[in-house]
Amino acid sequence: MSLTEDLVWPHWAEPLRIYRCAATGFTESAAAELGLRFGLPADDYGVMRSSAATVSYSHGSREVTIHRRSGGVRFRDLARWQADHGGTVDLGDDDAVQIAQDFVRRQELAPADELAVARVTRLRVGVADREGTTAEERVIDVGVVLRRVIDGLPADGPGGHIMVYIGADREVTGADRIWRPIAGVHSEVESLRPREWLEERIRRHLGDDRAARLDIHEVRLGYFEDGWNSAQEFLQPAYVVLGTRHSPDERLSRRSVIVVPAAANDVGEIMPPDPEIRTQPERARE
């Protein structure tokens, strides 16, 4: 394992900070208020559901869900979201992005200057007859991923983004948002760790499994934000290492993601070490 010289290193010259995340306690009334923002009436026909992990409010086919630990929000119109009604979503990337940005602005999901377009996705379905004489492929959903930007640096990880889903009628059928509110600045970043330090941290991360080979494909720098069901106290700059990990005998391989704090004055680990890849001994053949 090594960070080869031809691997692009993520340099950053602008000031960075470590932020404290605000508390994300949500109640049933918060879910109802969120439902009103998404057009769900608050009347006797609405259904409230609550668990240790989520609180949700639904009315007819529409539903909003808040994940308690992260504050992440999901909106779905279940009658239309990623549903195949026989039509196709004939929508170019630019138009899809414009629809998504307009939706985010109307719903006040995030400030416009903290958003960057990450990608546009398309969900396709295919239909063919048994004889193979007729076949067609249609797009039934277009998704726009908007990535969070803090201090000019994109967020990274399973959180820190908004995804807007658009149906065949060019209307929004669903949305996801994992966007932890910031309570304030914990500290300024004194400096970023060098690549030699990262190499050593990756070795420590691999632990006793150093006989395994790790091929590193990319190293990114971003504010790491975790996923739906994780509580998070700080948003801090992190190195995200993407690679492929191979067992010592090369028989097993899997994708590997290692995330470590990038600031010299970091506030603690982000993820635990990977589990060791154990190779089964060959069985004797009779």
Side-chain angles (χ1 to χ4, degrees):
M1 185 282 304
S2 67
L3 299 180
T4 58
E5 294 299 325
D6 58 351
L7 190 67
V8 177
W9 181 252
H11 295 285
W12 191 261
E14 300 300 319
L16 297 174
R17 299 167 183 85
I18 298 173
Y19 293 95
R20 296 190 309 277
C21 296
T24 58
F26 288 97
T27 61
E28 293 183 355
S29 61
E33 292 172 6
L34 181 65
L36 285 173
R37 286 173 53 187
F38 284 99
L40 281 69
D43 56 27
D44 293 340
Y45 296 98
V47 177
M48 188 73 67
R49 297 181 180 87
S50 183
S51 69
T54 63
V55 55
S56 65
Y57 177 73
S58 61
H59 193 288
S61 65
R62 290 174 293 175
E63 181 180 69
V64 293
T65 301
I66 302 175
H67 292 252
R68 296 183 187 274
R69 293 177 66 80
S70 66
V73 170
R74 292 186 192 271
F75 161 67
R76 297 286 187 269
D77 184 342
L78 297 174
R80 299 188 300 153
W81 177 72
Q82 295 190 341
D84 183 8
H85 294 299
T88 187
V89 185
D90 185 13
L91 197 60
D93 286 4
D94 292 343
D95 289 339
V97 168
Q98 188 62 57
I99 291 172
Q101 290 174 334
D102 290 344
F103 177 81
V104 169
R105 183 181 64 254
R106 288 196 309 271
Q107 302 300 330
E108 299 179 348
L109 297 180
D113 60 352
E114 295 180 15
L115 287 171
V117 178
R119 64 185 180 276
V120 177
T121 67
R122 286 173 171 80
L123 178 63
R124 292 178 166 86
V125 296
V127 179
D129 60 15
R130 185 172 296 179
E131 292 74 23
T133 58
T134 303
E136 66 170 336
E137 183 180 84
R138 292 178 287 105
V139 175
I140 63 170
D141 174 272
V142 174
V144 179
V145 182
L146 303 170
R147 178 60 67 178
R148 186 177 194 175
V149 177
I150 305 172
D151 296 331
L153 188 68
D156 209 324
H161 74 273
I162 296 171
M163 184 163 184
V164 179
Y165 303 87
I166 306 168
D169 54 3
R170 301 170 70 96
E171 294 291 329
V172 173
T173 63
D176 300 332
R177 185 190 71 170
I178 311 180
W179 195 286
R180 290 168 176 81
I182 291 175
V185 177
H186 173 74
S187 63
E188 302 287 333
V189 171
E190 297 172 357
S191 63
L192 295 175
R193 306 280 193 180
R195 62 191 298 149
E196 294 79 15
W197 176 89
L198 181 58
E199 282 199 20
E200 179 55 33
R201 286 302 300 271
I202 293 173
R203 292 190 183 95
R204 286 171 53 190
H205 187 91
L206 294 176
D208 295 333
D209 197 26
R210 296 186 184 183
R213 190 179 90 246
L214 176 64
D215 295 334
I216 298 175
H217 310 310
E218 184 181 4
V219 178
R220 300 197 300 242
L221 174 66
Y223 278 97
F224 181 80
E225 188 161 356
D226 216 336
W228 293 103
N229 297 313
S230 298
Q232 189 169 342
E233 187 177 0
F234 298 100
L235 288 174
Q236 62 176 324
Y239 292 125
V240 180
V241 182
L242 307 179
T244 303
R245 190 168 173 182
H246 307 272
S247 62
D249 60 6
E250 301 288 334
R251 290 197 302 165
L252 302 175
S253 63
R254 62 181 171 88
R255 289 184 297 177
S256 174
V257 180
I258 299 174
V259 183
V260 296
N265 56 325
D266 67 72
V267 288
E269 295 293 339
I270 293 175
M271 62 180 290
D274 279 354
E276 180 181 350
I277 298 178
R278 297 185 180 274
T279 302
Q280 294 290 334
E282 290 191 12
R283 297 181 180 180
R285 295 192 177 112
E286 297 181 0

